[in-house]
Amino acid sequence: MGAISVADYGGGTMTLSTIDNFLTSSAAAFGTPHPCELVECDACPYCGDTCEDESSCTSCQKKVNAMHTPCCRGPQANWLVGALSSFCPRPAFREGERPRTYTMCQLRRHNHANSAWILVGDEIFDATPYIRSHPGGMTTILRKSGGAADCTEDLRFHSKRAQKEWRKFKVGTVCQCPHNCHK
C-alpha cells in the first residue's frame, strides 16, 4: 500500500505515516500522550466537579481558576460590574480552604482508600483516617463512600464516643448539581 500524500513539504511529500511518527516522537520527547490517546474529561460541566487529571485538563483548570477568582468589586470596578454585582458569585471559600458545599458529582470521586467521603443525610464526612483501622474492615467504608449510600443508620449504630469522633471529620454538606446529574 502506497503512502497517502498529505502535503508538499519543503520539496518532499509528507504522508500520514510521517505525521503520525512526528506526533508519536514529539509526545514521547515531551512526556505527553499521543493526541489520539488523550482521555476525555469526565467531569460534570455544570458544577465544580473536576476530573482525575485536573492538572492537565484545561476545562477543569478553567473551573478551578474561576472558583479562586475574586469578584470585581471596589473602586477599580466599573459601573457595569457594579450594576451586575448581584450576579457575580462570591468565592465559596477562602484561599487554601476547602469549599463547604459539594455536589454529588464531586462527592462521587471520593470513593477509594486514599479519599473516602461518606454521606450522612446532607452532611459529608471524611472517613479516610479510619479506613485502615475500622473494626468492620476497609470494605464496609468503601462500599458506601462517594455518596453510594446514605450512612445515617451507620452513624446511629456507632457509640456516642464514635459519633463525636465522626463530627471532627465533617467536610461539608451536599448540595444539588445545577444540572440534577445525581440525586
Side-chain angles (χ1 to χ4, degrees):
M1 180 175 198
I4 300 170
S5 179
V6 174
D8 188 40
Y9 180 72
T13 301
M14 184 170 271
T15 63
L16 290 178
S17 175
T18 307
I19 293 171
D20 187 56
N21 288 340
F22 171 75
L23 290 173
T24 303
S25 62
S26 296
F30 293 108
T32 58
H34 185 286
C36 298
E37 296 171 4
L38 292 175
V39 179
E40 190 173 320
C41 176
D42 67 344
C44 174
Y46 304 101
C47 67
D49 182 34
T50 56
C51 67
E52 296 294 323
D53 198 17
E54 179 185 311
S55 61
S56 62
C57 176
T58 55
S59 175
C60 291
Q61 286 175 357
K62 287 178 184 177
K63 271 191 208 181
V64 170
N65 290 339
M67 287 191 299
H68 290 289
T69 303
C71 292
C72 304
R73 300 188 203 285
Q76 70 275 21
N78 66 30
W79 70 271
L80 181 59
V81 172
L84 298 174
S85 64
S86 63
F87 296 108
C88 185
R90 293 183 178 192
F93 50 96
R94 287 185 225 132
E95 193 65 35
E97 185 180 309
R98 288 187 194 183
R100 300 200 186 278
T101 59
Y102 299 88
T103 63
M104 286 298 289
C105 304
Q106 293 170 298
L107 176 60
R108 72 184 166 101
R109 298 203 180 270
H110 298 273
N111 63 349
H112 49 85
N114 294 328
S115 183
W117 289 5
I118 54 176
L119 184 63
V120 177
D122 69 343
E123 296 180 308
I124 303 168
F125 297 90
D126 187 358
T128 312
Y130 292 101
I131 201 159
R132 299 197 196 301
S133 62
H134 189 267
M138 185 185 299
T139 310
T140 58
I141 294 175
L142 288 178
R143 195 176 4 186
K144 296 183 178 184
S145 67
D150 186 338
C151 297
T152 302
E153 288 302 314
D154 298 280
L155 177 65
R156 289 185 191 136
F157 168 80
H158 287 80
S159 67
K160 295 291 179 197
R161 183 173 163 254
Q163 288 181 32
K164 189 175 179 181
E165 194 67 25
W166 274 42
R167 300 285 175 207
K168 292 179 185 176
F169 293 93
K170 182 177 176 181
V171 175
T173 58
V174 72
C175 63
Q176 196 162 357
C177 172
H179 194 255
N180 296 326
C181 298
H182 296 88
K183 295 189 181 195

